[in-house]
């Protein structure tokens, strides 16, 4: 029989998941030509674990609403602020508003955090694979690892079209390997994430192995999870967040 | 109402087939499973009903296909916001399986389990009466693995996380027991027409 399983989960606060709260835009930072970070003040934010996401709602004058899910980019810090990083999707209803209309002081609604499944509590060695804006929830984990001074091993492999499209490029450190699919800096090969990127990390896995987190488009998630399984990562220790 | 400054949104479509807060995904069929897509061949697939039933039973691919074929033509709705109109699934009505195992009088709920270990809880009434299927065909072709092939549960009148992919079994219970997403804050029933997305909705 083939072997597969779903990993365990971390309980979420059902109340926080059900209650809409007003969030105020306090900062906008450009990350790449197509992505920007939006900092929100959410005074009654219940706190989150790295990897969790929220639901966001925009409301038009006539009561029409658009709802989307966004990963939380910031580490949990008790500041009453959270950060989201949004790709500007061409003609995107919600990301379009953020990238072309939003300005400081604007208010929107959020509820969450949602889904404990993709959360990382910072207690187990973590191997993170992401592509495009799929790096967002993984960056929350990297930031938390740094801010809390954690010593548990953490490694990340991120894929971007080009160095200019690599979100959080200036923040990535020795824990991260970047893979470029369209154009790369001199001396760096161009290509998809491959067994050669995963094998060295599997070889240096700590005692007890890695918890693997995969995030990005469905195409990337299928590709990256197959790389992990082929490299020997147990399926019940691979968590996947697909952006649809 | 909390109006977002400068937000107008897409042109309004008044589609009576669209539950509140949903949009028409048209050709798209997003995949949102949280686990690795299993490499499960029809020859390895089994489906079992047990728990509060007269005679628990396990079907394999061939014995399940020997039951009377039944199709669903209609719409599906995902909790993340997309709906898909006019889809066609082929398989067998769950009633045909329940007729074999015969649930006890005391049975009220069920928990569906995938070959991956994924679970979803449902009231038994949502699984009977011609409203639920074991489906192995989509649009006349084998159901793709990413969408739950070789066979998935299909309960199209509820949000689609209830329609467990890679279905392995259904355990009949006399009480409700939360499944995978339900323990992660999602609603116990998930009726899209009442927008039951998260617990408390
Ligand atoms: C768990 C999760 C976490 C995510 N995290 C992030 C993140 O951190 N950063 C990020 O940039 N993105 C993230 N996404 C993707 C995000 O939710 C949106 O899909 C994305 O921002 C595009 O939304 P949009 O409104 O700009 O684009 P739209 O094009 O308006 O909508 C997105 C998609 O939905 C469809 N759609 C929506 N509304 C309609 C409609 N009325 N009519 C027709 N089609 C419609 C379109 O087919 C389109 O492909 C995440 C998604 C999920 C599920």
């Amino acid at each position: 029989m083939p072997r597969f399983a779903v990993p365990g989960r971390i309980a979420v606060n059902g109340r926080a998941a059900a209650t809409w709260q007003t969030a105020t835009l306090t900062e906008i930072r450009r990350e790449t030509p197509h992505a920007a970070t939006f900092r929100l003040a959410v005074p009654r934010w219940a706190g989150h674990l790295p990897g969790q996401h929220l639901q966001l709602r925009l409301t038009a004058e006539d009561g029409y609403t658009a709802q989307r899910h966004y990963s939380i980019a910031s580490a949990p810090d008790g500041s009453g602020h959270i950060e989201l990083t949004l790709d500007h999707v061409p003609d995107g209803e919600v990301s379009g508003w953020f990238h072309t209309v939003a300005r400081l002081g604007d208010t929107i609604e959020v509820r969450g955090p949602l889904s404990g499944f993709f959360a990382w509590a910072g207690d187990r060695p973590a191997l993170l694979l992401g592509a495009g804006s799929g790096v967002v929830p993984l960056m929350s984990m990297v930031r938390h690892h740094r801010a809390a001074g954690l010593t548990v091993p953490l490694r990340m492999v991120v894929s971007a079209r080009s160095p200019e499209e690599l979100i959080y490029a200036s923040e990535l450190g020795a824990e991260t390997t970047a893979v470029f699919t369209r154009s790369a800096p001199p001396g760096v090969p161009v290509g998809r994430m491959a067994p050669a990127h995963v094998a060295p990390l599997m070889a240096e896995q700590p005692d007890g192995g890695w918890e693997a987190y995969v995030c990005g488009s469905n195409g990337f998630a299928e590709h990256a999870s197959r790389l992990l399984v082929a490299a020997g990562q147990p399926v019940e220790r691979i968590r996947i967040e697909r952006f649809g | 109402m909390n109006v977002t400054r400068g937000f107008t949104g897409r042109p309004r479509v008044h589609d009576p087939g669209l539950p509140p807060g949903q949009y028409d995904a048209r050709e798209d069929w997003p995949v949102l499973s949280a686990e690795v897509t299993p490499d499960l061949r029809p020859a390895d697939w089994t489906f079992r009903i047990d728990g509060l039933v007269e005679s628990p039973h396990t079907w394999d691919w061939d014995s399940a296909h020997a039951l009377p074929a039944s199709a669903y033509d209609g719409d599906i709705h995902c909790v993340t916001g997309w709906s898909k109109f006019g889809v066609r699934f082929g398989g067998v009505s769950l009633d045909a399986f329940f007729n074999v195992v015969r649930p006890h009088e005391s049975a009220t709920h069920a928990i569906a389990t995938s070959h991956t270990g994924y679970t979803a809880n449902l009231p038994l009434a949502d699984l009977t009466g011609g409203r639920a299927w074991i489906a192995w065909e989509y649009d006349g072709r084998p159901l793709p693995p990413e969408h739950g092939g070789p066979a998935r549960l299909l309960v199209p009148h509820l949000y689609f996380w209830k329609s467990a992919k890679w279905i392995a079994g259904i355990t009949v219970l006399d009480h409700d027991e939360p499944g995978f997403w339900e323990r992660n804050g999602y609603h116990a029933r998930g009726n899209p027409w009442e927008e039951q997305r998260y617990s408390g909705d």
Side-chain angles (χ1 to χ4, degrees), chain A residues 53 64 68-71 85-87 89-96 133 136 241-244, chain B residues 10 23-24 28 32:
Chain A
H53 61 263
Y64 168 88
R68 299 286 186 274
H69 290 96
Y70 290 101
S71 302
T85 301
L86 272 65
D87 253 336
V89 174
D91 297 320
E93 188 175 33
V94 171
S95 67
S133 55
V136 174
E241 184 91 283
R242 304 174 201 242
F243 282 0
Chain B
R10 284 182 201 276
Y23 69 86
D24 180 359
D28 279 359
L32 293 152

Side-chain angles (χ1 to χ4, degrees), chain A residues 18-59:
Chain A
T19 315
W20 288 101
Q21 303 188 51
T22 299
T24 308
L25 193 53
T26 60
E27 191 186 334
I28 303 177
R29 289 199 310 272
R30 179 136 301 282
E31 300 284 358
T32 71
H34 296 107
T37 291
F38 300 85
R39 187 171 175 84
L40 301 165
V42 192
R44 285 180 297 113
W45 185 246
H48 62 276
L49 288 170
Q52 286 191 288
H53 61 263
L54 52 67
Q55 196 180 19
L56 179 152
R57 173 164 82 182
L58 305 183
T59 305

Side-chain angles (χ1 to χ4, degrees), chain A residues 63-84:
Chain A
Y64 168 88
T65 59
Q67 302 183 4
R68 299 286 186 274
H69 290 96
Y70 290 101
S71 302
I72 300 160
S74 46
D77 59 9
S79 67
H81 286 74
I82 51 171
E83 292 186 354
L84 308 178

Side-chain angles (χ1 to χ4, degrees), chain A residues 4-6 9 12 22 55 59 61-62 64 69 93 97 101 103 106 111 114 116-117 218 222 240 242, chain B residues 1-2 4-5 7 10 12 31-35 37-38 115-118 146 180-181 183-184 198 201:
Chain A
F4 16 70
V6 271
R9 65 209 120 219
V12 293
T22 299
Q55 196 180 19
T59 305
E61 298 266 356
D62 63 353
Y64 168 88
H69 290 96
E93 188 175 33
W97 180 84
V101 180
R103 61 181 191 224
D106 280 347
R111 61 176 180 171
L114 304 173
F117 176 72
N218 179 51
E222 287 291 311
I240 307 180
R242 304 174 201 242
Chain B
M1 193 168 75
N2 225 321
T4 313
R5 184 194 58 81
F7 176 68
R10 284 182 201 276
R12 314 292 183 256
V31 174
L32 293 152
S33 21
E35 70 266 51
T37 300
H115 281 276
T116 60
Y118 175 90
E146 280 159 75
F180 179 79
W181 288 120
R183 259 178 272 170
N184 268 290
Y198 301 105
D201 275 355

Side-chain angles (χ1 to χ4, degrees), chain A:
Chain A
M1 271 299 275
R3 188 178 53 92
F4 16 70
V6 271
R9 65 209 120 219
I10 294 163
V12 293
N13 178 336
R15 234 184 129 77
T19 315
W20 288 101
Q21 303 188 51
T22 299
T24 308
L25 193 53
T26 60
E27 191 186 334
I28 303 177
R29 289 199 310 272
R30 179 136 301 282
E31 300 284 358
T32 71
H34 296 107
T37 291
F38 300 85
R39 187 171 175 84
L40 301 165
V42 192
R44 285 180 297 113
W45 185 246
H48 62 276
L49 288 170
Q52 286 191 288
H53 61 263
L54 52 67
Q55 196 180 19
L56 179 152
R57 173 164 82 182
L58 305 183
T59 305
E61 298 266 356
D62 63 353
Y64 168 88
T65 59
Q67 302 183 4
R68 299 286 186 274
H69 290 96
Y70 290 101
S71 302
I72 300 160
S74 46
D77 59 9
S79 67
H81 286 74
I82 51 171
E83 292 186 354
L84 308 178
T85 301
L86 272 65
D87 253 336
H88 190 177
V89 174
D91 297 320
E93 188 175 33
V94 171
S95 67
W97 180 84
F98 272 94
H99 279 270
T100 62
V101 180
R103 61 181 191 224
L104 304 190
D106 280 347
T107 57
I108 55 155
E109 288 174 293
V110 297
R111 61 176 180 171
L114 304 173
S115 180
F117 176 72
F118 200 70
W120 180 61
D123 52 348
R124 303 232 197 128
L127 175 57
L128 319 176
L129 306 188
S133 55
V135 67
V136 174
L138 309 182
M139 197 62 202
S140 175
M141 301 178 192
V142 172
R143 286 168 165 164
H144 176 60
H145 189 262
R146 287 183 194 156
L150 302 181
T151 53
V152 59
L154 179 99
R155 292 284 179 278
M156 180 160 76
V157 188
V158 286
S159 172
R161 281 158 197 258
S162 66
E164 300 71 50
E165 299 288 348
L166 180 62
I167 300 175
Y168 312 128
S170 65
E171 261 187 83
L172 303 176
E175 78 290 320
T176 301
T177 309
V179 178
F180 300 103
T181 57
R182 300 281 168 78
S183 65
V188 177
V190 172
R192 279 184 110 186
M193 204 174 281
H197 299 111
V198 177
L201 299 170
M202 292 303 290
E204 64 168 76
Q205 68 182 287
D207 286 346
W210 297 112
E211 297 301 319
Y213 291 79
V214 175
C215 187
S217 65
N218 179 51
F220 173 78
E222 287 291 311
H223 174 68
S225 61
R226 273 194 220 111
L227 287 179
L228 286 170
V229 172
Q233 176 69 12
V235 279
E236 70 277 12
R237 297 181 67 184
I238 303 176
R239 290 157 205 268
I240 307 180
E241 184 91 283
R242 304 174 201 242
F243 282 0

